[in-house]
């Protein structure tokens, strides 16, 4: 179920490169690149991605044409603790959640692990 702040996939202008990155870089490499992305977008003084730092750095990612409300929506979508900013963990979780292919692969792995773990109980 999509949250009220989520930008619908069909309306977004993002290409999902995370599955290709995961395939080419492996798990640790992908997390390293996500951390690099976080560092690029974060407010250096506060150590989080806030509206100002996202707006200032959005053009670097090719997102310069997003409206202020779209940028705020991106922050709301990942802001689990409600502080108005994204810490590194929130950012990484958001990136995974916004990748339909990675989410599907994660679901598959989870179900396979459950199936194997509980096959003796059926």
């Amino acid at each position: 179920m999509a949250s009220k702040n989520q930008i619908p996939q069909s309306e977004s202008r993002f290409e999902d490169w995370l599955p290709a990155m995961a395939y080419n870089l492996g798990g640790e490499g992908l997390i390293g690149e996500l951390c690099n992305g976080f560092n690029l977008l974060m407010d250096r003084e506060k150590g989080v991605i806030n509206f100002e730092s996202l707006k200032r750095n959005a053009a670097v990612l090719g997102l310069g044409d997003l409206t202020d409300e779209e940028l705020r929506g991106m922050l709301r979508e990942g802001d689990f603790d409600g502080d108005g900013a994204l810490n590194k963990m929130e950012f990484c979780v958001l990136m995974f959640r916004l990748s339909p292919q990675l989410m599907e692969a994660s679901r598959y792995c989870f179900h396979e692990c459950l199936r194997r773990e509980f096959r003796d109980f059926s």
Side-chain angles (χ1 to χ4, degrees):
M1 182 173 171
S3 77
K4 65 181 179 178
N5 298 322
Q6 185 173 3
I7 299 170
Q9 196 72 17
S10 61
E11 293 177 23
S12 71
R13 295 171 231 148
F14 302 105
E15 275 191 68
D16 187 8
W17 291 103
L18 281 180
M21 290 174 65
Y23 178 79
N24 290 319
L25 299 172
E28 286 184 36
L30 176 61
I31 295 300
E33 286 303 309
L34 288 175
C35 289
N36 289 339
F38 175 82
N39 292 336
L40 177 71
L41 295 171
M42 78 173 182
D43 180 304
R44 300 272 180 249
E45 292 177 15
K46 297 177 181 169
V48 296
I49 298 172
N50 55 29
F51 173 74
E52 292 79 20
S53 69
L54 183 59
K55 183 172 177 118
R56 182 174 52 251
N57 296 304
V60 174
L61 300 175
L63 306 175
D65 59 340
L66 292 180
T67 67
D68 286 358
E69 188 53 37
E70 288 172 318
L71 294 173
R72 285 188 180 95
M74 292 170 70
L75 287 172
R76 282 191 303 267
E77 181 66 25
D79 182 15
F80 295 117
D81 61 12
D83 66 354
L86 301 180
N87 61 38
K88 193 176 288 189
M89 181 60 73
E90 289 171 326
F91 176 77
C92 290
V93 168
L94 178 62
M95 293 300 99
F96 273 86
R97 284 181 51 223
L98 292 177
S99 174
Q101 290 177 344
L102 281 182
M103 288 301 292
E104 186 57 37
S106 297
R107 246 183 247 108
Y108 174 78
C109 290
F110 175 73
H111 288 292
E112 279 301 301
C113 288
L114 283 178
R115 186 184 62 74
R116 278 184 260 143
E117 188 68 28
F118 294 107
R119 69 176 165 231
D120 296 332
F121 294 106
S122 32

